[in-house]
Amino acid sequence: MYTQGNPVQAEVHQKRHKAMDSISEVKLAEDTKLSSIVMNHAIMASVQAAKYSSQDVARYFEVDTSVGLDNEEVYKRQKQYGLNEFNGGEEEPLWKKYLGQFKDPLIMLLLASALVSVCMKQLDDAISITVAIVIVVTVAFIQEYRSEKSLEALKQLVPPKCHCLRNGVLKTFLARDLVPGDVVYLSIGDRVPADLRLFEAVALSIDESSFTGETEPANKSTELIELLDNGIMQRKNIGFMGTLVRCGHGKGIVVGTGENSEFGEIFKIMQGEEPPKTPLQRSMDTLGKQLSFYSFCIIGLIMLLGWIQGRKILDMFTIGVSLAVAAIPEGLPIVVTVTLALGVMRMAKRKAIVKKLPIVETLGCVNVICCDKTGTLTTNEMTLTHMYTADGLHAEVSGVGYNRKGEIHCNNESVKNNSHSSIRKIIEIGTVCNNAEILDGGLHGQPTEGALLACAMKMGAEGIRNEYIKLQEWPFNSDVKQMTVKCAHKDNRGEEYYFIKGALERILNQCRFYYQNGADMPMSEQIHKDVLDEAHQMGIAGLRVLAMAYGRQLDMLCFVGIVGIIDPPRPGIREAIRTLIGTGVSVKMVTGDSEDTATAIGGRLGLYAAGGEAISGDQIDHMSTDQLQDIIPHISVFYRTSPRHKHKIIKALQNNGCVVGMTGDGVNDAVALRSADIGIAMGKVGTDVSKEAADMILVDDEFVTIMAAIEEGKGIFYNIKNFVRFQLSTSIAALALIALSTVARLPNPLNAMQILWINIIMDGPPAQSLGVEPVDQDVILKPPRCVKDHIITKKLMINILISSFIIVSGTLWVFYKEVSHT
């Protein structure tokens, strides 16, 4: 916001106002909101920049796109807009994090007990209780600190850089130093450093899957766009911060930096979303309140009886302190904390980093897991899985990702470089008509082209493209829907060919021949029909179909075949989902992808059956919260969803009483990760903002690790109940012992120090052994526990009272015998 007292802001505001006057009044009339947005945010939002020409945007930011900003102007704008980074708030100092551990209700009870002991000048009791408290909070603090350090190691070590034009010179520097109005150059492999209004785009495709969930990169242009709505996918002339340039190159004007970018809007929503308490925290809070209430009721009753009996108030207060110490199981927080810490350490060995100790138990009661598709359920690596040649051969390709792992099989035979001429011809066209590169397992270029290169590597034919010389190229665009390359073989440069790949309908209609055993045969209606039928089957299976053709003339092409490409499910994911469903956990897929792709992947994973129901983000927008809550238990696939839709889905499930886990890796998952009961982010492919929002990070991106976490969570709660029963039996026995002695006018059999010794030293190790005991397989296979169930149930209380009665009876008999002998 501009302020009168700031001369820099006033000067910049005056310049902006003049620049806006030069933009046509017609355009301003079309969108009267623009001026208010400029005045309020001082940065042009990408949704507004998309509606204006690049010349108008450059005029607004007072920048010459051939020169860039000068250093003086950059300095002014940095003072006004700040750095191009996110302010997550000042990091909490270690001492504050340590003191935060004292907020636990049981710890507060112990502190109160220690304070009373100090007031009674029973310093040895106070010291003992304080030592118990320090042990608990220190163990919890150290484990959570270790988890934070492990998470920091996952973050990118190299800060993002950008290529920016300033003072007419192209410079490379940290992206955090960009300001609105800077001119940025983009090339293959670059991360877009801020929101850009593109003014040059040459075959530019940007991977926006972290925002939209779409596996296919978005083809970018520079034309002014009439937006039908505010959806990100419509803004073809905008490059969004954090997205990846897959192919081509371009230039753009920075219109949004830091928290004023689209990335930043999601970050702000995420920061404002308060993560819910875990079920274990709620259970322990309830336990602490129950213990406090019942203990003080009994203590009050005993003191009242003593006063009625005519005892001194000071004597009764001393007994009350002993009762308070007896009522609170001092060893319980230690055992719970150590058990959770050991669980976190076990999970770390299984490649899962848990940020907070209670989170490790939460998965034991999760009954719904919402999964992002791209990069979580699937690899986010397009893979060629099927080929069909014009002469009727079917080939299947194994292996996932941009590497040579996998094989090609045709009619139960392994396909190698020259073993099947028709298949080789498909790969030949697919690799020559291709601009992608696979370097060190990473892709530079279009994902579909990377899939073709990986397939060539699997059949040992990656060198085919080096046998040809490219003479001319016509890149793929949305109008022609095909890519054409004019080339010649190095050994016969006199013969020139056109190699073409693209949409089947467009290419098939241009072909007069089809390829059969190395020869061109006249195209027939039957061949035409067979190809379309095969393509239809691939489409039903969720495959993206690409056709291949070649010829010496563009009007006399020879059809070679089609390939089916998909972003495949991760290995073992279907089995993991089946196991989860078998143990009572519902799995739902939430994606920004299209309906066809979402239902096809859902079918492969066992989440969607033909005739089933899937709903879109638009449908969710038109539903009330109550309507969504009614239908959501029956829906397993949600498509075309935005961060807002994902958040609404999570809240609807939670309102239905579900404990919700959310897995994701993209910027568009951050809000849902934060609002879920447990957010689970991917460690390798996950964005920094998703890791920040999540409670648990899967280091190796393996979804099956969640199964191990669920087992760990169920086992931990089962063990916690066991040692709660053990420790409460002792505490209640001590409470009853002192109470009965007081009523019977016997001497107090136990002082506060002896009770502390029993609770911490004598009961601690046996209780801890219960906390690490291996859990029976029957417990793991049980459905998720209901979060409304308290730790202390009626059955557990009966067991505790029986155990306490036996302890009290034996102790009183021994005490009575000893007293009578003296």
Side-chain angles (χ1 to χ4, degrees), residues 120 303 306-307 310-320:
M120 295 294 298
M303 291 184 70
W307 180 71
R311 296 193 181 193
K312 293 180 180 178
I313 293 293
L314 188 61
D315 291 343
M316 292 311 302
F317 192 73
T318 304
I319 292 171

Side-chain angles (χ1 to χ4, degrees), residues 333-355:
I334 297 176
V335 177
V336 171
T337 301
V338 172
T339 300
L340 291 173
L342 291 172
V344 169
M345 292 168 68
R346 285 194 295 270
M347 288 309 303
K349 290 178 182 177
R350 300 173 88 164
K351 305 294 185 183
I353 294 174
V354 179
K355 289 186 182 179

Side-chain angles (χ1 to χ4, degrees), residues 273-277 282 367-368 629 632 647-661 672-678:
E273 186 67 30
E274 198 65 34
K277 275 192 170 184
R282 293 196 290 267
N367 47 24
V368 179
Q629 285 177 220
I632 205 165
H647 179 65
K648 192 172 180 180
I649 290 166
I650 297 289
K651 288 300 180 185
L653 288 165
Q654 289 174 331
N655 290 343
N656 282 346
C658 298
V659 180
V660 185
L673 287 169
R674 184 75 165 219
S675 57
D677 293 279
I678 176 166

Side-chain angles (χ1 to χ4, degrees), residues 503-685:
L504 174 63
E505 295 79 7
R506 179 62 66 98
I507 291 176
L508 192 57
N509 291 332
Q510 299 176 61
C511 295
R512 301 291 176 265
F513 305 93
Y514 74 94
Y515 191 81
Q516 183 176 23
N517 296 326
D520 296 359
M521 306 296 290
M523 178 64 73
S524 67
E525 288 186 12
Q526 186 60 46
I527 295 296
H528 196 284
K529 180 179 179 301
D530 290 346
V531 171
L532 290 177
D533 288 345
E534 188 64 31
H536 178 68
Q537 292 302 316
M538 286 186 182
I540 291 174
L543 302 179
R544 183 187 177 194
V545 178
L546 277 181
M548 308 289 171
Y550 77 103
R552 293 188 178 181
Q553 299 176 34
L554 288 174
D555 58 350
M556 297 290 286
L557 294 177
C558 177
F559 186 78
V560 177
I562 57 176
V563 297
I565 298 174
I566 195 171
D567 178 15
R570 289 181 176 274
I573 201 86
R574 183 183 175 91
E575 292 74 17
I577 289 174
R578 188 187 299 124
T579 305
L580 281 172
I581 294 172
T583 57
V585 179
S586 174
V587 180
K588 300 183 185 297
M589 184 172 75
V590 187
T591 178
D593 234 326
S594 66
E595 181 178 8
D596 290 343
T597 304
T599 53
I601 293 295
R604 285 171 175 246
L605 296 175
L607 296 176
Y608 181 85
E613 190 176 358
I615 65 173
S616 67
D618 286 340
Q619 290 172 285
I620 292 172
D621 280 334
H622 291 93
M623 289 182 189
S624 67
T625 304
D626 290 339
Q627 287 175 321
L628 184 58
Q629 285 177 220
D630 288 340
I631 68 162
I632 205 165
H634 314 294
I635 307 295
S636 293
V637 175
F638 301 84
Y639 63 94
R640 289 287 185 231
T641 56
S642 67
R644 186 181 70 257
H645 298 135
K646 292 181 180 183
H647 179 65
K648 192 172 180 180
I649 290 166
I650 297 289
K651 288 300 180 185
L653 288 165
Q654 289 174 331
N655 290 343
N656 282 346
C658 298
V659 180
V660 185
M662 172 74 198
T663 68
D665 67 318
V667 176
N668 59 338
D669 301 316
V671 178
L673 287 169
R674 184 75 165 219
S675 57
D677 293 279
I678 176 166
I680 306 164
M682 302 294 116
K684 289 181 180 176
V685 301

